[in-house]
């Protein structure tokens, strides 16, 4: 939602920017977050740690979050809901969701899994009610945030590891070890990074969905993508595609594995793996689709609304 808001805010200027942000727990992982946080006074309430990495919050309160919110609510005058501000957020979110849907549908014309968003959406849909969704860092968590619809009974887990993309398979295996059906969505480089943890996955109700966009595609969204580098340097030093075959790797660890080519095949493979005891599902997607879907949605939101023709 923050990121869908980020998409809308990118296109619609600052009428939606809050004056004050109360951040509960860690900072959201979303591209829309940093520009939003930079423009508002920010207060952090968290039960542990010190989630103010760049020391820009006005205050960090460590303690019981629920208790703090109850006291704040008691101290404030009763709000008149929905406020114009809340309505503006709701409208921006709906407009951004529609723009994302249209951009994803346009990509689908090029093939059944032409957009990374198709794969993430199908994988989330395949998590059974009461199950767990573990979102890998880099693009999976951001793409999920762009299309998150809410309203499902899921436990969503993210972890930052020591540096970001490490330990995601081990973490998801730990979450699944309690017996709750668990779907991990992670990138191809992240998969390679924690490949040894496949040894812990066997027999667990765990589907490991590898979004294969041939390397670390998040770097396409970052300033480094527009730096003038020697030929081939961006590919070799930033994207670092692995050429690893996730299906062969999974089989080496005695796990079931499949490469899928459509959202339906992806859903079926996940359901099978959750029932049969761990599966690696390899999902090749159009490599640049996450960036192109996002920029198509932002462009559509920025375009002036078509004028109603008057019949004078
Ligand atoms: C342990 C660790 N090493 C390196 C990085 C830097 N890093 C951030 S994202 C990324 C690429 C991830 O690629 P992939 O898993 O394929 O995800 P995508 O960007 O394609 O979504 C790298 C190397 C990191 N965050 N953590
Ligand atoms: Mg990748």
């Amino acid at each position: 939602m923050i990121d869908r808001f980020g998409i809308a805010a990118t296109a619609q200027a600052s009428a939606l920017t809050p004056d004050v942000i109360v951040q509960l727990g860690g900072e959201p992982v979303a591209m829309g977050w940093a520009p939003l946080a930079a423009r508002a006074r920010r207060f952090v309430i968290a039960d542990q740690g010190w989630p103010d990495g760049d020391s820009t919050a006005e205050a960090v309160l460590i303690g019981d979050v629920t208790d703090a919110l109850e006291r704040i609510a008691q101290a404030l005058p009763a709000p008149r809901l929905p406020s114009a501000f809340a309505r503006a957020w709701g409208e921006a979110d709906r407009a951004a969701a529609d723009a994302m849907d249209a951009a994803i549908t346009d990509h689908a014309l090029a093939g059944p899994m032409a957009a990374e968003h198709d794969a993430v959406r199908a994988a989330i849909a395949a998590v059974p009610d009461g199950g767990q969704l573990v979102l890998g860092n880099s693009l999976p968590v951001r793409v999920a945030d762009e299309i998150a619809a809410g309203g499902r009974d899921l436990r969503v887990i993210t972890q930052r590891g020591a540096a970001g993309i490490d330990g995601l398979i081990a973490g998801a295996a730990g979450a699944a070890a309690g017996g709750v059906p668990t779907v991990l969505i992670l990138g191809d480089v992240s998969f390679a990074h924690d490949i040894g943890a496949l040894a812990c996955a066997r027999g667990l109700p765990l589907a490991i969905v590898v979004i294969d966009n041939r390397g670390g595609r998040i770097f396409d969204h970052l300033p480094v993508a527009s730096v003038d580098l020697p030929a081939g340097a961006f590919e070799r030093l930033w994207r670092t595609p692995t050429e690893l075959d996730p299906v062969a790797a999974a089989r080496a660890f005695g796990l079931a594995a499949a490469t899928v080519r459509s959202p339906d095949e992806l859903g079926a493979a996940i359901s099978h793996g959750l029932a049969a005891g761990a599966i690696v599902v390899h999902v090749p997607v159009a490599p640049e689709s996450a960036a192109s879907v996002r920029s198509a949605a932002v462009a559509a939101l920025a375009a002036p609304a078509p004028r109603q023709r008057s019949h004078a």
Side-chain angles (χ1 to χ4, degrees), residues 18 34 61 72-73 88 120-121 127 162 166 168 183 196 270 282-283:
L61 306 174
I72 291 171
V120 172
R121 187 149 62 183
V127 185
D166 50 328
L168 293 169
V183 176
I270 290 173
H282 174 218
V283 195

Side-chain angles (χ1 to χ4, degrees), residues 116 137-140 160 162-166 186-191 193 211 213-219 238-240:
E116 188 160 334
N137 295 306
S138 215
L139 290 177
R160 296 297 289 161
I165 62 163
D166 50 328
L186 83 173
D188 49 318
V189 178
S190 305
F191 176 79
H193 209 292
I211 307 287
N213 53 17
R214 294 203 239 128
R217 291 285 159 174
I218 188 146
F219 298 115
W238 270 270
R239 282 207 193 113
T240 63

